[in-house]
Amino acid sequence: MFLARLFQVGETTAGSVDFTVLLDALKNSITPAQVLGVLAAVIGVGMVFFLMWLGVRKAITAFTSSLAKGKLRI
């Protein structure tokens, strides 16, 4: 319904598309708390993957150096 009002044929030109209907629909459907929740989840998952990446690199380095030198260093 709001898309029909947004893109009314014949009344608007390429430079005068009215986005207020679309912005109002977005403002009414998404709350700031939801945006913050998604951002917190993305940051949390990203931190977990980063720390896993560092741990795997450390484990691989320890394993290959123990094979090459015969000593296990942690």
Side-chain angles (χ1 to χ4, degrees):
M1 178 172 177
F2 65 89
L3 285 178
R5 287 186 282 158
L6 181 63
F7 297 109
Q8 294 174 352
V9 180
E11 294 182 15
T12 59
T13 62
S16 65
V17 177
D18 186 22
F19 287 108
T20 56
V21 177
L22 182 63
L23 291 175
D24 288 340
L26 284 175
K27 287 177 186 175
N28 291 333
S29 64
I30 300 173
T31 64
Q34 290 172 330
V35 172
L36 289 176
V38 169
L39 285 175
V42 167
I43 290 171
V45 169
M47 287 173 47
V48 167
F49 278 115
F50 177 71
L51 292 174
M52 266 190 342
W53 177 64
L54 289 177
V56 168
R57 281 185 53 206
K58 175 81 171 172
I60 289 173
T61 303
F63 180 72
T64 55
S65 102
S66 69
L67 288 179
K69 298 179 183 176
K71 295 187 228 177
L72 182 60
R73 297 183 73 198
I74 297 177

